[in-house]
Amino acid sequence: MADPLGSGENAMVPDIASQQPPATGRPVPPPPAASSTREDLRAVMAARRDLGPEYEDALVDSFLDKLDVEIAARVRNEVAAQLHHRPPGPPVKQKDSAVGVVMGSLALGIPLTGIAVGNAGLPGLFLSWGGIIAVNFAYAISRRSQR
């Protein structure tokens, strides 16, 4: 008896391991309809009846390989369709957090000024605003290095 997955005349199930669609990023033709898969399953079941249980694992593996190829093609087509239909537009800008740092510095600067001047006078004022300036300067330098 010939190998059921080979190219002999008793080959009921084709070897589909070599039928992988190309991974080129371009859409591949749509896979055959679901009725084709049903027919393939019926052919596998008929081949199992003809060949016996000793070929069952090979037949199931071959059918699952074909199913994997079909699913991969469907996923690739769906992804390609979604990428193709994405509306072109300007790149999305990231939210600028510099405004938050500036506003936070001013919001904290007012009460810190009052507390520093009330407790330490003029040196406290310079110390508190020196710290606020240092924080803003460090933030500006870190943003510059990220660009």
Side-chain angles (χ1 to χ4, degrees):
M1 183 179 287
D3 181 14
L5 298 178
S7 58
E9 56 188 340
N10 289 335
M12 303 286 292
V13 180
D15 179 20
I16 57 161
S18 63
Q19 296 178 4
Q20 294 286 337
T24 60
R26 288 178 268 153
V28 294
S35 64
S36 164
T37 305
R38 285 190 182 110
E39 291 170 11
D40 289 342
L41 182 57
R42 285 187 184 108
V44 168
M45 291 170 58
R48 195 262 181 212
R49 279 190 298 267
D50 292 343
L51 299 173
E54 59 271 5
Y55 290 104
E56 185 172 312
D57 289 340
L59 292 169
V60 168
D61 289 342
S62 177
F63 178 74
L64 290 177
D65 287 343
K66 181 181 185 328
L67 204 56
D68 285 344
V69 169
E70 188 173 321
I71 289 171
R74 286 181 184 180
V75 169
R76 261 193 290 284
N77 285 336
E78 184 65 28
V79 169
Q82 287 182 6
L83 289 176
H84 181 69
H85 288 87
R86 181 176 287 167
V92 178
K93 288 186 177 181
Q94 292 182 349
K95 186 177 178 183
D96 190 15
S97 59
V99 174
V101 171
V102 170
M103 297 304 287
S105 295
L106 290 175
L108 289 175
I110 294 170
L112 282 178
T113 299
I115 293 169
V117 170
N119 290 330
L122 193 58
L125 175 70
F126 287 130
L127 183 63
S128 64
W129 277 98
I132 292 171
I133 290 170
V135 166
N136 282 283
F137 184 72
Y139 177 75
I141 292 210
S142 71
R143 279 182 45 104
R144 177 171 255 164
S145 66
Q146 289 176 357
R147 290 183 186 182

